[in-house]
Amino acid sequence: MRTYLVTGGAGFIGSNYIHYMFGKYGDDIKIINVDKLTYAGNPENLKDVEDRPNYTFVKADICDSEAISALFEKEDIQRVVHFAAESHVDRSIKNPDVFVKTNVLGTLTMLNAAKAAWELPDGSFKPDHKFLHVSTDEVYGSLDEDGGYFYETTPYDPHSPYSASKASSDFLVKAYMDTYKFPANITNCSNNYGPYQFPEKLIPLMINNALNGKKLPVYGDGKNVRDWLYVEDHCKGIDMVQEKGRLFETYNIGGHNEKQNIEIIHIILDQLREKLDDSDPRKALINEDLITYVADRKGHDRRYAIAPDKIKAEVGWYPETMFEEGIRKTIDWYFEHKEWMENITSGDYLKYYEEMYKA
Ligand code: NAD
Ligand code: TYD
């Protein structure tokens, strides 16, 4: 039975990945999820797997080298899938330090622990032991509105403290691959959406605000473009890269699904109205009047767009969920998980929201 060490598995993509992996491999794999449970980590995301005998949760910081090394000493971990990170650009603009600590130093700790556990006396590594570093397209910087795509060969040009910290972590992984032949891959993915996403990010924030009759804050002119991918397709891509990709390679993951932020908001409003019964008092409140243009994000990247040619050609991955279907599934999920949203939008979230949006 192959053992996975997943970092950040209580967050948005990590929890979707754990569900995806148990759905695909069932009892044939074992997953150890190590997560510090920051504001973004939510054990509720994993309620339906927590009793599985082949699942273990460990609350630890990825910067804690003793705790991480102990996990490698206890088990023969064959796969590391490294999601844990501070992930929100707006928070990185307000407080960059924790981004450098977790994203850069935390990644270094993970690399050192895996290297120490997997390296053989001759400097080679145990066969079939692999590390996958989950990264973002934001490391490539910003594209013009009228053309171009991010390829694996596009030079790094990060602008926000978040993307700079992810770029640094990518470079560390590259350095370990180049220097030690450390068995790893890097994936750089575009914006994800789907179940369990924390409502500080565009799509769940807009769904939650609209359902509560709150303003929909649009940064700048609303015409910034993101390339949206349904989270399950990302999870599938990660697994395929780890099992079918060439070691030491980077793979871009994206669905050729570019949309302006304002388009996304209109789609959400239309779908919410469609979903609500005429008798539901919220229906009348959910309209374009909620859209409120606010000050632009500092250093706001204009456009991201991934060219997924390499992962398609080499690994056979393609995005299965078209946006129309994905956003419908996402909205349905938030409707069915009202309590999940209520639990996380109380307390600290309210403080964050008030400070961020001066509500
Ligand atoms: P998230 O913020 O929802 O989750 C991050 C998880 O990491 C949380 O469970 C949190 O508790 C945990 N964590 C944070 N600091 C930690 C620490 N020091 N030690 C242990 N655990 C810690 O993030 P996400 O959106 O799920 O993103 C996961 C990864 O995917 C990140 O590396 C991110 O850069 C990358 N990524 C995200 C997107 C996206 O659209 N969300 C796109 C491409 C790549
Ligand atoms: P976000 O979900 O934070 O992802 P990222 O910045 O990593 O791409 O933001 C997606 C886009 O939506 C980005 O262009 C910023 C914009 N945005 C708003 O206009 N209003 C908001 O309240 C948020 C959170 C984001």
Side-chain angles (χ1 to χ4, degrees):
M1 191 194 272
R2 188 190 283 159
T3 300
Y4 285 74
L5 180 61
V6 174
T7 71
F12 163 49
I13 307 176
S15 59
N16 276 284
Y17 172 80
I18 291 173
H19 287 122
Y20 174 81
M21 293 297 279
F22 280 137
K24 179 166 180 194
Y25 297 103
D27 294 335
D28 295 341
I29 57 166
K30 190 168 163 186
I31 294 181
I32 302 165
N33 171 19
V34 54
D35 196 301
K36 185 182 176 182
L37 297 182
T38 67
Y39 78 92
N42 184 355
E44 249 189 277
N45 297 358
L46 294 158
K47 236 172 35 199
D48 50 344
V49 303
E50 68 189 12
D51 293 332
R52 291 187 77 108
N54 56 340
Y55 172 75
T56 310
F57 176 72
V58 178
K59 185 173 185 303
D61 188 328
I62 54 162
C63 299
D64 180 346
S65 55
E66 265 176 44
I68 300 299
S69 297
L71 296 174
F72 281 93
E73 275 155 29
K74 213 167 138 206
E75 307 258 357
D76 179 21
I77 290 162
Q78 266 184 279
R79 298 284 184 273
V80 175
V81 183
H82 177 38
F83 293 97
E86 288 291 334
S87 69
H88 190 39
V89 173
D90 291 326
R91 290 186 192 251
S92 83
I93 294 167
K94 283 204 174 344
N95 180 18
D97 298 31
V98 67
F99 283 72
V100 173
K101 191 162 181 280
T102 289
N103 299 2
V104 185
L105 298 179
T107 298
L108 182 66
T109 306
M110 291 305 305
L111 289 167
N112 283 337
K115 179 173 175 287
W118 295 349
E119 199 168 22
L120 298 169
D122 68 356
S124 68
F125 287 86
K126 287 184 185 171
D128 200 28
H129 285 61
K130 303 179 190 179
F131 188 106
L132 190 139
H133 177 61
V134 180
S135 193
T136 166
D137 60 355
E138 303 191 25
V139 297
Y140 297 120
S142 182
L143 293 163
D144 289 338
E145 270 164 5
D146 48 358
Y149 291 98
F150 295 138
Y151 290 88
E152 288 80 0
T153 49
T154 302
Y156 275 30
D157 183 22
H159 298 132
S160 72
Y162 164 65
S163 54
S165 68
K166 291 296 292 187
S168 309
S169 65
D170 291 11
F171 282 139
L172 280 171
V173 179
K174 282 180 200 285
Y176 273 55
M177 294 193 287
D178 293 347
T179 307
Y180 310 111
K181 292 279 166 281
F182 178 75
N185 287 104
I186 299 172
T187 53
N188 293 89
C189 190
S190 61
N191 286 60
N192 284 215
Y193 68 99
Y196 303 109
Q197 189 167 28
F198 192 80
E200 64 188 352
K201 305 279 167 57
L202 181 75
I203 289 182
L205 185 138
M206 295 300 163
I207 295 172
N208 186 46
N209 279 19
L211 284 173
N212 288 292
K214 284 171 77 174
K215 290 177 183 166
L216 309 179
V218 182
Y219 299 162
D221 64 3
K223 293 186 178 157
N224 298 67
V225 171
R226 298 293 182 263
D227 182 358
W228 294 95
L229 182 70
Y230 192 61
V231 62
E232 200 175 83
D233 282 329
H234 183 190
C235 297
K236 185 177 169 203
I238 288 169
D239 181 44
M240 288 178 79
V241 164
Q242 209 164 32
E243 298 318 316
K244 297 184 182 169
R246 285 182 294 140
L247 265 186
F248 315 118
E249 291 292 319
T250 288
Y251 292 90
N252 281 354
I253 309 182
H256 274 309
N257 178 46
E258 293 179 52
K259 298 235 179 306
Q260 292 181 341
N261 296 335
I262 193 68
E263 286 179 75
I264 296 276
I265 293 167
H266 283 295
I267 293 170
I268 291 173
L269 286 173
D270 288 347
Q271 293 220 358
L272 288 177
R273 274 193 300 255
E274 221 171 87
K275 219 176 142 55
L276 288 170
D277 285 338
D278 286 342
S279 58
D280 194 313
R282 289 176 298 179
K283 190 158 183 164
L285 297 173
I286 296 179
N287 59 52
E288 274 62 21
D289 293 345
L290 293 176
I291 295 174
T292 310
Y293 287 88
V294 299
D296 206 356
R297 175 186 277 172
K298 289 189 174 96
H300 197 174
D301 286 338
R302 193 62 175 168
R303 173 173 167 255
Y304 302 143
I306 280 277
D309 306 17
K310 180 173 168 183
I311 189 173
K312 280 187 183 167
E314 288 191 12
V315 175
W317 176 90
Y318 62 92
E320 281 176 48
T321 312
M322 293 300 100
F323 189 73
E324 293 63 31
E325 184 195 345
I327 194 74
R328 198 169 307 120
K329 278 170 133 172
T330 304
I331 288 176
D332 286 350
W333 189 89
Y334 283 102
F335 261 78
E336 285 154 19
H337 293 79
K338 214 170 147 243
E339 212 176 297
W340 180 93
M341 186 61 97
E342 282 166 5
N343 289 345
I344 55 167
T345 49
S346 57
D348 283 351
Y349 179 80
L350 280 182
K351 269 192 252 153
Y352 161 79
Y353 193 88
E354 274 159 27
E355 200 187 309
M356 179 69 209
Y357 296 95
K358 305 275 182 264

